[in-house]
Amino acid sequence: MDADAYKPGAGDLIDGLYELKDSLGKGGMAQVWRAREVSGSREAPRAGEVSRGGREVAVKFLRHDSEALYCLDPHEREAELAVRNARFRREADLLGTLDHPGITELYGSGSHQGVPYIAMRLVTGVSLRTFLDEHNPLSLAAAVAVAVQMAGALACAHTLPVVHRDLKPANIMIGDEGAVVLIDFGIAKPLRADATRYTAHGSTLGTRGYLAPEQLLEREPTPRTDVYCFGCIFYELLTGRPPFPLGVDSGLTDKHLHEKPLPPSVYAAGIPEAIDDLVVRMLAKKPEQRPAVDEVLRVLAPFGPRPGDPEPRPRTHPDPTAPLRLPSDRVSRPRPALAVPPAAAAPAEDEWLDTRAVEQLCAQAESEIASGEPGDGAGRLRGLTARVRKEWGERRPLVRRVWQGAADGLRLAGDFGSAVRLYQGIDDDLIHGDGPAERAERAVIRLRLAECRLAFGELEAVITAVDTAGHTAAGLPPDLGARVEAVRRTVDAQLAARLAGPDMEA
């Protein structure tokens, strides 16, 4: 570690783009500064934007001078700093991919005098930790409003899938207008099979008091890991206390591992039974017993504030119910493509779909998928799925072919959440009959669905799908059975690698 590494200071001009104003805070791995984006930024405005020169931004720097690094010997220090640099670059990549008002937007990233930085949207407001300390207890409407907004942002991340791994009140901001924003994706982990694995020096990643059992046991995280941490936060929103309070000799780790929490209604009146049940399930010890974040959203939706509702009592500032009571339109920024291009080249809505053209597009996409590199064909199929189903119905084989080509392209591109929805739609609605060909096709679709779920850590479901496919293949004619068996072996190999891999990646 270089003792003379750059240290940010007020007035510094970073990469010719951002003038530092004042420090917003410093942690063990990074520090954040308020900055002004200077006029004449080298990045051209996006379509529909005015020049951004002069706006305030947050600039996050990786710390090369943290106390934890000084405690290591030179070899460990160099290795740890390499991991931190790699994670910092990954955080910038993730922020550039995630597009949701509840996740900080990436403006740019780079290196200034050898120190990496990330420039992002500045969220002015208070942390949820400060908010809870000042407003306790919260009204049910305010608690649910925070939870609904958190769930929406997490759903965006989990679709990829990306696990935050450090959800806690200090990493959640409530903006001046009440918008809830997840911050600090510094130890977030993409769950793609090809994602780089970093092994760091030190202890379990995350924050004491908000760690899921699998994190405490140093096992592989999944999106359900975030759901547990979310459950801890939601419990505190509802009751003013965490499910297992932190105290001297409290046995906190043992409680998170083994003790079932009391329902929130034990500590706060007026909590609906459905929310009571939801929170207890979010805090289940086994990941597979927790609801997915999409289910959390579905359960909470009926209890959240609605447009036109009055301001809740007691009043708070900021007011987290405001974005739900007084919604405003937000134009999403263009999301960088993963590997599948956007479907801009699909036929115009006022044109009839041409069967031959769609067949040729399917053939192109299938050729791309066979090569392992989905491209323009797969991307265009993605934009046709709803339309072919609407115009041609659910029984036409070409509709199923379009959906499968689109799903396969998304799966290979790493967008497993979107692929799951298409594969599930094929299984539920587009395969008809129970002949050998239909059984083989259904088995393949369910295996691909299991392959996507493997990325979400749903190992028991994948094991069941692989076993079921083996029995199905054995009862099919040899050619069809061989097709199913080939896919089954692929998924089984991925499952075996996952089961045999290291317990936890940092």
Side-chain angles (χ1 to χ4, degrees):
M1 181 178 61
D2 184 1
D4 297 323
Y6 167 72
K7 297 177 178 60
D12 290 358
L13 186 60
I14 305 304
D15 215 8
L17 298 171
Y18 311 104
E19 181 184 359
L20 301 187
K21 293 298 184 183
D22 54 89
S23 175
L24 297 177
K26 179 165 64 175
M29 295 187 185
Q31 55 186 315
V32 181
W33 281 72
R34 184 194 311 269
R36 181 180 63 85
E37 191 169 41
V38 301
S39 299
S41 167
R42 68 187 178 198
E43 181 184 352
R46 299 185 182 96
E49 279 191 348
V50 297
S51 173
R52 299 196 308 269
R55 70 177 172 183
E56 287 195 321
V57 303
V59 180
K60 179 177 181 179
F61 295 93
L62 179 66
R63 289 189 63 190
H64 283 201
D65 63 344
S66 68
E67 295 78 5
L69 287 172
Y70 283 118
C71 294
L72 304 177
D73 67 43
H75 177 73
E76 290 176 328
R77 191 181 304 147
E78 183 179 355
E80 171 68 6
L81 192 55
V83 168
R84 292 188 181 193
N85 275 306
R87 274 217 204 94
F88 201 78
R89 290 192 298 270
R90 185 165 73 181
E91 180 181 3
D93 291 341
L94 290 176
L95 291 180
T97 302
L98 299 169
D99 180 20
H100 190 277
I103 297 174
T104 47
E105 180 180 355
L106 176 73
Y107 292 156
S109 63
S111 180
H112 183 75
Q113 296 187 25
V115 176
Y117 73 84
I118 299 171
M120 65 193 91
R121 171 164 51 105
L122 176 67
V123 182
T124 57
V126 299
S127 73
L128 181 59
R129 177 72 278 147
T130 298
F131 184 78
L132 285 171
D133 291 344
E134 294 178 353
H135 304 287
N136 189 4
L138 290 177
S139 67
L140 178 65
V144 172
V146 172
V148 165
Q149 293 185 71
M150 276 186 63
L154 271 183
C156 172
H158 288 180
T159 293
L160 287 181
V162 169
V163 182
H164 187 283
R165 294 202 292 184
D166 196 18
L167 289 178
K168 57 184 178 181
N171 281 344
I172 299 161
M173 292 290 293
I174 303 182
D176 290 333
E177 303 302 321
V180 175
V181 181
L182 304 187
I183 62 173
D184 199 350
F185 279 73
I187 63 170
K189 180 188 176 187
L191 298 183
R192 303 187 312 271
D194 61 346
T196 304
R197 304 174 69 85
Y198 304 123
T199 303
H201 179 91
S203 58
T204 301
L205 294 172
T207 300
R208 180 171 164 80
Y210 298 94
L211 290 174
E214 58 269 26
Q215 289 177 291
L216 293 168
L217 296 171
E218 298 190 355
R219 293 175 179 167
E220 190 77 7
T222 73
R224 306 297 172 98
T225 301
D226 281 345
V227 170
Y228 185 94
C229 306
F230 182 8
C232 292
I233 296 168
F234 193 19
Y235 198 105
E236 191 169 353
L237 287 167
L238 292 166
T239 67
R241 66 189 299 279
F244 305 112
L246 179 63
V248 178
D249 299 325
S250 65
L252 185 63
T253 295
D254 189 66
K255 290 179 179 179
H256 277 285
L257 288 175
H258 304 296
E259 186 175 311
K260 184 176 180 179
L262 294 170
S265 58
V266 171
Y267 300 104
I271 296 178
E273 183 179 350
I275 292 182
D276 237 14
D277 172 72
L278 175 69
V279 175
V280 170
R281 289 191 294 123
M282 291 171 75
L283 295 172
K285 305 306 179 188
K286 294 182 178 180
E288 62 272 15
Q289 294 176 350
R290 300 171 202 149
V293 73
D294 287 345
E295 183 182 348
V296 174
L297 268 174
R298 286 196 300 272
V299 173
L300 291 182
F303 301 100
R306 298 178 181 275
D309 280 358
E311 186 178 7
R313 297 288 189 274
R315 293 182 177 181
T316 64
H317 182 76
D319 174 14
T321 71
L324 304 182
R325 296 185 299 104
L326 310 167
S328 60
D329 293 334
R330 171 185 181 267
V331 178
S332 296
R333 67 186 188 276
R335 174 173 166 173
L338 293 168
V340 179
E349 288 292 333
D350 58 354
E351 298 176 6
W352 287 102
L353 286 174
D354 180 86
T355 299
R356 183 171 178 79
V358 173
E359 288 174 342
Q360 290 175 342
L361 189 58
C362 286
Q364 177 187 342
E366 288 158 3
S367 176
E368 296 167 357
I369 290 161
S371 72
E373 297 183 359
D376 180 66
R380 292 173 66 189
L381 285 187
R382 181 182 177 183
L384 287 176
T385 52
R387 188 172 173 193
V388 294
R389 183 174 179 175
K390 178 181 178 181
E391 292 190 18
W392 291 343
E394 297 181 350
R395 292 187 171 272
R396 191 165 176 174
L398 185 55
V399 173
R400 193 162 67 242
R401 188 178 174 190
V402 168
W403 276 58
Q404 182 159 355
D408 287 343
L410 287 164
R411 172 177 53 81
L412 289 175
D415 191 347
F416 299 110
S418 299
V420 161
R421 287 190 283 271
L422 290 181
Y423 284 130
Q424 193 67 64
I426 296 170
D427 189 25
D428 291 343
D429 302 319
L430 301 184
I431 299 177
H432 303 277
D434 197 34
E438 289 78 19
R439 293 203 305 275
E441 188 166 9
R442 189 174 287 111
V444 168
I445 292 298
R446 289 176 179 175
L447 282 168
R448 293 306 189 192
L449 187 58
E451 185 176 355
C452 294
R453 285 176 171 157
L454 187 60
F456 291 90
E458 300 177 14
L459 301 185
E460 292 187 7
V462 177
I463 292 170
T464 299
V466 168
D467 289 345
T468 301
H471 293 301
T472 300
L476 292 171
D479 57 334
L480 294 174
R483 178 182 169 221
V484 173
E485 183 62 17
V487 180
R488 190 197 70 80
R489 287 177 179 172
T490 298
V491 179
D492 192 37
Q494 295 178 16
L495 174 62
R498 182 67 174 268
L499 292 172
D503 282 340
M504 184 173 183
E505 174 273 330

